[in-house]
Every structure is written in C-alpha cells, then in structure tokens.
Amino acid sequence: MSFKRKPNLSATIALLPTWFVAVAVFIGTMAWSVRLSFTNSTLFPSSTYVGLAQYSKLFSSAKWLASLQNVLIFGVLYVAGCLLLGFLLAAALDRKIRFESAFRTIFLYPYAMSFVVTGLIWQWMLNPTLGIQASMRSLGWDSFVLDWVVNRDMAIYALVLAGVWQGAGFVMVIALAGMRGIEADQWKAARIDGIPVWRIYVSIILPQLGPALAAAGMLLAMGVIKTYDIVVAMTNGGPGNATEVPAKFIMDNLFGRQNLGLATAGATVLVLGVILAVAPFRYAMHMRNRAKGAA
C-alpha cells in the first residue's frame, strides 16, 4: 500500500504549482470580477456595494439587448454553417479525389488566420466602394449590389459569411479524420445493397460522426460567446447596433467609458453563458460514458 501511495503523492506535489495558478489566477480573477459587478466601480475598483443595480442597468440597455440578439443569430448560423459546410467538404475529400492534399490545405488555410485578418479581408471584399460590388460595376453590371457591411439588415450575415469561411476547415479536418476511421466493410456492404453515395453519408457515416461533430460544435459555440475581433475588424459594431456583440459591449465600457462595474456584470453574464453552453455537452458525455461502463 505504501508503494502505491508514493507515486500518487509525488504526482500531487508536482501538480501543486499548476493547481495554485488555476485557483489563484483563473478562479480568483473570476471571483474578483463577479464581486466588482455588485459595486459601483467606474475607472477604479470600488468597495461600495449596490446589489443588482449594475445587472438592472445592463438588461435595461438597448445596446446590450441588441448584442445578445446579434450573438444568438451569429452563433446559430455560424455553428450550423461550419458543421454543414465542413461535413460536405470532408465528404468530398473522402472520395479520394485528385490533389486531395492541395485541396485540404486550401480549405484549412483560412482557419490558420486570426479573426482580425479574416475580418479585414471580408470587410474589403464586401465594401461597396472597393470590393466585389465596385469590381462588378466596373465591368458594366451597374445593377449589382453587395453592400452587406453597410446594410443594417445584412451586416450580421456578413459576419456569418466570414466566420463560416474561416471555421468550416476546422470541422472538415475533424469529420474527415472520423470518416477515414470507419471500416471499409461498411462501404462494401452499402454498395452491394445499391445504396446511393449521398444516402450512405447521411444514414451511415453521419451518425457515427456524432460525438466528433458535437465536440467541434461545442468548441465553435464557445468561440461565439467571446466573438470580438472579427466584429471590430469588419463593422465595429455598426451600422448602428446591427452587429454589436456582448464582448464588444464589455470592452467599450471597460476601456472607453471606464464603467468597470457594468463591464464586469456583462462579463459575468458571459461566463454563465459559457457554462450553459458547455454543461449539456459535458452531461451528455458523462451519461454516454456511464452507459458504456454499465454495458
């Protein structure tokens, strides 16, 4: 028994610095931010508690409510678009096409860029005076309109388009790895039965990729909650509040308006959003592992 305890004690001692950093830096900073959200802190932290006044002010702000609506629209379309396009790209590459490595690199390359670079690229392409619209009109197509970044009704969809362009390659890699791990006997049996290729992918391959695509979707959803740089690069939250997002609202109040209490209240709501996004996936994984253990 003593021989078994020594390695565990050594491992615990070795992990103590990591645990200290996790508790003191991450959890401690988070707790401090939550505490500030209940104070009237402005430029500097304050110890004067005001209860839920900052949260009341937060949810009475039209800009904050617009940011929640925008991030919900962006998140649903972005995650769904990445999963759909990534799966289709993976299915296309899984057919053992020529120049597969080159296409895989091309499709994955946008994911290697930062959201700032992606935002600047698409901001230029969708700019009506410089990008695609100006190019098409210079060719004689005067009625062509593609002004999404300055159109209040379409600006949020411009963000979705840029985000899907970047994130689909990530899903493609995960889905393609899962497809290559499926036994060839399943393909042979399906071909003998005369099942169309598209039906094989939808009815046989896709269900087996469920856990991998769920993990990819969770990672994408967590990225949605902290969306900031692509918005600043493309639209800076405009036109009006059409593309305002919670992270930008927090940064504006933290550095622009020096309203530390309101900013930390918004950050606390975002943390709760992350927990709500991760909790269902973690619970599903726990139940799945529990079912495997019982079997």
Side-chain angles (χ1 to χ4, degrees):
M1 294 294 294
S2 60
F3 177 77
K4 292 182 179 180
R5 288 176 181 173
K6 286 182 179 179
N8 294 333
L9 180 61
S10 301
T12 302
I13 295 174
L15 289 173
L16 278 178
T18 303
W19 281 109
F20 176 78
V21 171
V23 173
V25 177
F26 292 99
I27 300 179
T29 304
M30 187 184 305
W32 184 73
S33 299
V34 173
R35 173 187 170 275
L36 288 180
S37 69
F38 294 100
T39 66
N40 63 348
S41 302
T42 53
L43 179 59
F44 297 104
S46 171
S47 298
T48 304
Y49 288 92
V50 294
L52 298 174
Q54 298 290 4
Y55 292 92
S56 176
K57 183 179 179 181
L58 181 69
F59 283 97
S60 63
S61 170
K63 194 171 185 179
W64 173 257
L65 296 178
S67 73
L68 293 179
Q69 180 181 355
N70 291 334
V71 81
L72 179 62
I73 295 173
F74 174 79
V76 171
L77 296 179
Y78 168 69
V79 174
C82 286
L83 292 176
L84 177 60
L85 183 57
F87 176 78
L88 293 177
L89 291 175
L93 293 178
D94 189 50
R95 302 301 298 162
K96 306 291 179 61
I97 62 174
R98 296 182 62 184
F99 309 112
E100 176 187 331
S101 299
F103 283 114
R104 188 167 59 241
T105 301
I106 292 172
F107 295 147
L108 185 60
Y109 180 74
Y111 189 71
M113 298 180 182
S114 69
F115 263 132
V116 174
V117 176
T118 298
L120 290 175
I121 291 173
W122 282 91
Q123 195 275 342
W124 177 84
M125 288 198 301
L126 298 179
N127 190 310
T129 60
L130 300 173
I132 298 175
Q133 177 176 304
S135 299
M136 296 301 293
R137 291 189 176 184
S138 66
L139 296 175
W141 195 354
D142 295 333
S143 61
F144 183 85
V145 177
L146 188 62
D147 58 349
W148 288 12
V149 292
V150 296
N151 187 325
R152 188 183 185 92
D153 297 328
M154 299 300 297
I156 190 66
Y157 302 108
L159 294 179
V160 173
L161 181 61
V164 171
W165 177 77
Q166 184 187 43
F170 168 70
V171 179
M172 177 201 70
V173 171
I174 294 179
L176 184 60
M179 291 177 183
R180 293 291 165 83
I182 294 176
E183 296 180 359
D185 292 340
Q186 298 185 37
W187 274 101
K188 293 179 181 178
R191 287 170 179 167
I192 292 174
D193 292 338
I195 301 176
V197 174
W198 69 268
R199 187 63 182 271
I200 295 175
Y201 278 105
V202 172
S203 302
I204 300 176
I205 306 299
L206 184 58
Q208 298 183 62
L209 297 179
L213 293 179
M218 186 196 69
L219 294 175
L220 292 172
M222 291 179 64
V224 167
I225 295 174
K226 58 182 182 181
T227 299
Y228 172 75
D229 37 11
I230 191 173
V231 175
V232 173
M234 284 189 68
T235 62
N236 199 31
N241 294 331
T243 56
E244 185 74 19
V245 291
K248 185 178 180 299
F249 178 91
I250 293 170
M251 296 297 287
D252 287 345
N253 280 278
L254 185 61
F255 295 107
R257 299 181 178 86
Q258 286 82 44
N259 194 336
L260 186 57
L262 188 62
T264 51
T268 302
V269 173
L270 276 192
V271 171
L272 293 177
V274 173
I275 294 174
L276 292 176
V278 174
F281 176 79
R282 295 298 302 168
Y283 178 75
M285 292 298 295
H286 171 72
M287 296 302 295
R288 185 168 175 265
N289 293 333
R290 186 176 178 181
K292 283 185 177 180

